[in-house]
Amino acid sequence: MSMSSIPQMAGGPEREDKVSLELTEEILQSMEVGLAFRDYNGRISSLDFHKASSYVVTASDDESIRLYDVSTATCLKTINSKKYGVDLVRFTSHPTTVIYSSKNGWDESLRLLSLNDNKYLRYFKGHHDRVVSLSLCSRKECFISGSLDRTVLLWDQRAEKCQGLLRVQGRPATAYDDQGLVFTIAFGGYIRMFDARMYEKGPFDIFSVGGDMSDANVVKFSNDGRLMLLTTTDGHIHVLDSFRGTLLSTYNVKPVSSNATLEASFSPDGMFVMSGSGDGSVYAWSVRSGKEVTSWLSTESEPPVIKWAPGSLMFATGSSELSFWIPDLSKLAAYVGGRK
């Protein structure tokens, strides 16, 4: 199956040459690697899909930032960040401009980088230890970063100085909701919800994740904002109702080491959760039933990073290689002579 014919999610933006399918358990179970890039010399520490193009960016322990076009299955650009290293990378609204965190142990500045001409557009100085969380607001030019220095900083892409500082008691995980009206900070067994316009007043709600006090790794909202997930070092993926704070499900995988990050991702329709695991495997669960739908075992020993492509029946994993997973429609009864 060619990458240019990846089926789109039903309800997503329609394009004439695309097949539109609803993501079902059967389709999820059929998914396999359709494209892989194996030329990395270190583990992939971060990957991101651009929301409005077919671009993907990765950061790797080999100190490279790589830009891909999934529609043509090509690596467009490799930029080396030998001086600073690179850990987390996120697209801005522009498909060739990224913000990334360093990994050299002495300069914790965040950098706004143009991949077109390999130029730094701005430095964001403020953290004094490794940045472990980086979330960009999709509607405005603001972003939020959380660090092992126990601070969460709020930034505007157009200004070098941070716009706000919040102190935390532990490793923080941060995220904006899709509208940019709310952001969340998770640490120490709780998720704190803030109004982005009045964060100085403190959280307007605090949700418990049921006594799991291990380090927060990632926190994310579903696309429609109704759900959120939190992963922790102990290998728990908590799914909550983001309005009521009700804990809906907790999925369990192998714990991860303290310097690793357990990443999970909602499918675009919010019906499924995918996650890595401390043993390198990938798991998928149904949000509705809370049950495991499928898993893909691995020979890796660390959790892969994992992200769903916006609006597509495709997700990507990054470990020692970058893999794009798509349905194998030939396995599905509905596409091979009808259902039995």
Side-chain angles (χ1 to χ4, degrees):
M1 179 178 186
S2 76
M3 298 303 285
S4 59
S5 59
I6 301 155
Q8 299 297 289
M9 294 283 296
E14 291 287 340
R15 285 182 242 166
E16 285 173 24
D17 59 333
K18 300 286 182 182
V19 189
S20 186
L21 297 173
E22 199 169 316
L23 182 59
T24 62
E25 293 192 6
E26 189 184 17
I27 286 176
L28 198 52
Q29 288 160 352
S30 83
M31 291 181 85
E32 58 182 36
V33 177
L35 173 68
F37 293 90
R38 300 190 169 92
D39 55 341
Y40 284 84
N41 297 312
R43 284 191 69 78
I44 295 167
S45 54
S46 182
L47 74 85
D48 196 26
F49 282 93
H50 189 261
K51 276 196 161 55
S53 74
S54 52
Y55 284 7
V56 172
V57 66
T58 64
S60 164
D61 291 349
D62 64 11
E63 300 173 324
S64 71
I65 296 171
R66 305 189 194 198
L67 180 69
Y68 297 88
D69 185 340
V70 184
S71 65
T72 56
T74 51
C75 180
L76 301 178
K77 184 133 332 199
T78 299
I79 289 176
N80 291 309
S81 176
K82 296 291 182 195
K83 184 176 176 185
Y84 304 111
V86 55
D87 194 4
L88 302 177
V89 65
R90 301 284 182 266
F91 279 113
T92 64
S93 57
H94 194 281
T96 58
T97 308
V98 298
I99 293 175
Y100 78 94
S101 66
S102 13
K103 198 176 193 175
N104 59 13
W106 54 270
D107 184 341
E108 304 300 341
S109 302
L110 298 161
R111 290 173 177 78
L112 182 64
L113 174 67
S114 165
L115 300 174
N116 270 341
D117 46 13
N118 192 15
K119 278 203 174 131
Y120 291 115
L121 306 177
R122 198 154 289 116
Y123 298 87
F124 305 98
K125 295 176 188 288
H127 284 302
H128 304 290
D129 203 342
R130 183 180 155 219
V131 173
V132 290
S133 186
L134 183 59
S135 177
L136 273 67
C137 176
S138 59
R139 302 295 172 105
K140 307 183 192 99
E141 292 204 335
C142 45
F143 66 100
I144 185 170
S145 58
S147 164
L148 296 180
D149 65 13
R150 298 194 166 199
T151 66
V152 170
L153 300 182
L154 288 87
W155 306 88
D156 185 311
Q157 288 180 38
R158 298 159 294 192
E160 292 194 352
K161 289 208 167 86
C162 75
Q163 310 294 296
L165 181 153
L166 295 160
R167 297 195 183 278
V168 295
Q169 286 83 50
R171 171 177 169 155
T174 63
Y176 273 102
D177 78 326
D178 194 53
Q179 302 295 313
L181 300 175
V182 171
F183 66 82
T184 182
I185 304 174
F187 64 89
Y190 292 88
I191 298 175
R192 289 159 173 82
M193 309 288 285
F194 292 83
D195 182 327
R197 295 154 301 184
M198 298 186 293
Y199 62 86
E200 307 93 335
K201 296 188 173 177
F204 65 81
D205 227 333
I206 301 177
F207 303 148
S208 165
V209 291
D212 178 4
M213 303 300 288
S214 63
D215 276 350
N217 276 201
V218 301
V219 64
K220 291 182 184 176
F221 287 92
S222 59
N223 282 347
D224 62 9
R226 293 173 185 274
L227 300 172
M228 57 198 310
L229 64 78
L230 170 69
T231 70
T232 66
T233 305
D234 278 359
H236 304 307
I237 300 103
H238 304 288
V239 177
L240 298 92
D241 178 311
S242 59
F243 295 111
R244 296 189 186 88
T246 321
L247 186 59
L248 303 175
S249 292
T250 295
Y251 314 125
N252 301 301
V253 297
K254 290 277 192 312
V256 300
S257 63
S258 59
N259 59 351
T261 297
L262 179 63
E263 186 165 26
S265 185
F266 283 108
S267 59
D269 58 6
M271 300 299 287
F272 299 95
V273 169
M274 320 281 296
S275 174
S277 168
D279 62 4
S281 304
V282 174
Y283 293 86
W285 298 270
S286 161
V287 170
R288 191 173 281 151
S289 73
K291 294 196 167 85
E292 183 183 319
V293 174
T294 189
S295 63
W296 297 270
L297 303 180
S298 166
T299 54
E300 303 265 346
S301 58
E302 289 184 59
V305 292
I306 183 164
K307 290 262 179 9
W308 269 93
S312 292
L313 289 177
M314 176 174 70
F315 67 92
T317 56
S319 50
S320 57
E321 53 192 53
L322 175 63
S323 304
F324 294 94
W325 301 71
I326 53 178
D328 178 356
L329 299 184
S330 68
K331 289 181 181 172
L332 303 177
Y335 299 93
V336 192
R339 293 185 183 277
K340 300 290 186 280

